[in-house]
Amino acid sequence: MKLIGKMTILLCGILLIVFANKFPEFGDPHSPASTHLSPYYIEHTMADTAVPNMVTSVLADYRGYDTMFETTVILTAGLACFFLLRLPEEEEKEIYFRHVPTGVTIRIEECGAAPEDSDVFQRIDAQWVPRDIIIRSTSRLLMPFIQIFALYVVAHGHHSPGGGFQGGVILGAAVILFAISHNLRTTVAKISETSAAIMSAAGVFIYAGTGALCVMLGENFLNYGALAPLLGTDRVMARSHGILIVEIGVALAVMSVMIWIYYNLSSAGKQDEGL
Amino acid sequence: MDFLTVLISRANYWAYIILMMVGLYAMIAKNNLVKKIVGMSIFQTAVILFYVSIGAKQGATIPILRHGPVPEGGGIAHAALRHGTDAVQAVNYINPLPHVLMLTAIVVGVATLGVALALAIKVYKEYGTLEENEINQRLRRG
């Protein structure tokens, strides 16, 4: 296998190197990629959508179908992780609780009465280790700032680098940071797997629903200009607002799918204490 | 054109070819499934680098139209605005299309990486190993 691999990469590498000379030079303004389609986007984005950030306008308006199905792909990936890994919650032989004020660990065998899950008794795993207070408090301090930044990235995607995908990933990263610094049980208690699943479906629904609303108003799918009478603006501004609605849907879907995949991957589907 | 000019003027292609071959080799020759997944990620990075470098233009700025107050200094686009030429020139902004494509590809790449790792976890649970030859042995034995 090593020999086949080396021969393949030698062959492919030589082919790619030979044909790299036919490609345009780095930064060539007259390369085929920048002469056919992209000048239209650059020159008409303001007149068509009133969005100065071309990446956002191309992402959510000119290529709206592409982005919608990319969001669906992300949702499908989340579902695939869930169906591959998630195990049904089974009755365990013995479970462990920790009495938080005293730090005493209690082991409860089969048929024993488990205490109510409360602030005093914390459900733990056999391999539980105390968490470092410095890491815990630092990440807890950082979380709101990360989330505010993520909301800024989503909301300001029209005017600066940003948008639904980036903001959604940052939002998800904040929750994953919480899950790493505390543990998975605490995180699942705050954002349950069900709500992550519902939010990811809701994100895709917002996107597709905006498109369907345009159809109901008598225009093409994802033609946000049709939303003008609903939003009380002209057609161009309606496109700008439509892009924002769609980006919020994307952010919701991406955030919750990232959280959902992390829940299932980090605990191999058991959703116990995790990493 | 001498060798050095070719080397420098197409540096982006050499970088992506090297990355792509590293990823391809890892996917073909490595025995461990996680290493194969890492190879797949490297391959993906090579494609992303290729696309993004295609969008670059000499002397152009990021694909966000200048709006709001125009500062002193800045690139060609700013200078054009200062001198009152209002029309947007496509030469002044880099190509936004590769950035859009790769923006979604990166996030989708992360999601599919999650699926790949989930499959690896499943394989490990089933066979107790991630080495490909050991899995093949177990499969042959039935």
Side-chain angles (χ1 to χ4, degrees):
Chain A
M1 220 51 196
K2 287 230 153 70
L3 190 69
I4 300 173
K6 274 172 192 154
M7 277 168 65
T8 317
I9 66 154
L10 210 67
L11 215 71
C12 288
I14 288 169
L15 271 177
L16 286 173
I17 287 169
V18 168
F19 286 105
N21 276 318
K22 308 270 184 242
F23 279 112
E25 280 182 21
F26 180 67
D28 181 12
H30 304 292
S31 68
S34 6
T35 45
H36 292 294
L37 191 56
S38 76
Y40 178 86
Y41 292 147
I42 295 168
E43 281 156 14
H44 292 80
T45 174
M46 220 41 193
D48 284 350
T49 62
V51 176
N53 185 354
M54 288 157 234
V55 174
T56 303
S57 67
V58 176
L59 180 85
D61 196 312
Y62 294 112
R63 295 182 64 86
Y65 275 77
D66 179 20
T67 312
M68 190 181 94
F69 287 107
E70 298 271 16
T71 319
T72 319
V73 167
I74 292 169
L75 173 66
T76 317
L79 281 171
C81 274
F82 172 76
F83 284 122
L84 277 172
L85 288 177
R86 191 77 173 99
L87 301 168
E89 272 164 45
E90 53 192 42
E91 286 294 311
E92 278 155 285
K93 284 266 159 48
E94 44 184 40
I95 51 178
Y96 294 86
F97 277 87
R98 182 168 173 271
H99 188 241
V100 179
T102 56
V104 176
T105 303
I106 312 161
R107 191 185 71 161
I108 295 156
E109 293 193 343
E110 213 169 359
C111 308
E116 293 274 312
D117 215 10
S118 64
D119 286 343
V120 183
F121 285 104
Q122 185 195 7
R123 172 89 193 272
I124 58 172
D125 286 343
Q127 69 270 28
W128 183 84
V129 281
R131 301 286 158 154
D132 190 358
I133 189 156
I134 296 173
I135 293 172
R136 247 186 354 196
S137 356
T138 312
S139 58
R140 186 173 261 172
L141 266 176
L142 273 176
M143 251 186 78
F145 295 105
I146 297 174
Q147 282 170 330
I148 288 284
F149 176 66
L151 291 180
Y152 163 76
V153 167
V154 175
H156 214 252
H158 286 40
H159 296 277
S160 64
F165 283 96
Q166 300 92 318
V169 168
I170 299 171
L171 271 174
V175 178
I176 290 172
L177 175 70
F178 184 79
I180 291 173
S181 61
H182 290 64
N183 61 47
L184 201 60
R185 279 222 178 84
T186 328
T187 321
V188 173
K190 292 207 188 299
I191 300 175
S192 73
E193 192 183 22
T194 322
S195 55
I198 289 172
M199 275 196 289
S200 55
V204 179
F205 180 77
I206 288 174
Y207 202 136
T210 313
L213 199 62
C214 300
V215 175
M216 280 180 220
L217 291 168
E219 296 208 26
N220 287 335
F221 191 67
L222 288 175
N223 183 0
Y224 313 126
L227 301 175
L230 285 187
L231 296 167
T233 48
D234 55 18
R235 287 183 65 88
V236 176
M237 275 317 283
R239 282 178 173 276
S240 174
H241 295 324
I243 289 172
L244 182 64
I245 296 169
V246 156
E247 293 268 22
I248 289 169
V250 170
L252 202 63
V254 170
M255 174 195 79
S256 39
V257 168
M258 289 300 141
I259 296 168
W260 199 10
I261 288 179
Y262 178 80
Y263 281 178
N264 280 323
L265 271 187
S266 65
S267 61
K270 287 200 292 285
Q271 302 211 346
D272 49 3
E273 228 158 68
L275 293 174
Chain B
M1 219 191 300
D2 70 311
F3 177 68
L4 208 62
T5 327
V6 175
L7 203 68
I8 291 166
S9 69
R10 292 174 208 278
N12 57 327
Y13 297 118
W14 313 138
Y16 106 79
I17 289 170
I18 291 169
L19 272 179
M20 190 174 261
M21 289 307 114
V22 168
L24 192 63
Y25 181 74
M27 275 201 288
I28 294 171
K30 286 292 169 189
N31 200 25
N32 190 301
L33 288 183
V34 171
K35 285 181 182 168
K36 276 181 195 282
I37 293 171
V38 171
M40 191 183 76
S41 283
I42 295 173
F43 195 94
Q44 211 168 34
T45 316
V47 176
I48 289 167
L49 178 65
F50 173 68
Y51 264 77
V52 169
S53 73
I54 283 283
K57 269 186 214 166
Q58 213 89 54
T61 183
I62 55 167
I64 299 173
L65 296 178
R66 271 301 309 168
H67 55 293
V70 181
E72 294 296 311
I76 298 167
H78 300 183
L81 274 184
R82 251 204 317 282
H83 293 115
T85 42
D86 227 2
V88 178
Q89 295 286 317
V91 191
N92 293 334
Y93 296 98
I94 60 171
N95 187 353
L97 198 52
H99 293 256
V100 174
L101 298 176
M102 289 309 104
L103 168 65
T104 51
I106 290 169
V107 179
V108 171
V110 170
T112 47
L113 181 69
V115 177
L117 287 173
L119 280 170
I121 290 174
K122 205 72 185 160
V123 167
Y124 185 78
K125 272 186 188 163
E126 188 74 27
Y127 296 99
T129 175
L130 282 172
E131 304 294 323
E132 205 186 7
N133 55 352
E134 290 172 28
I135 294 168
N136 281 344
Q137 265 174 17
R138 299 246 337 234
L139 279 174
R140 280 200 200 95
R141 257 186 273 137

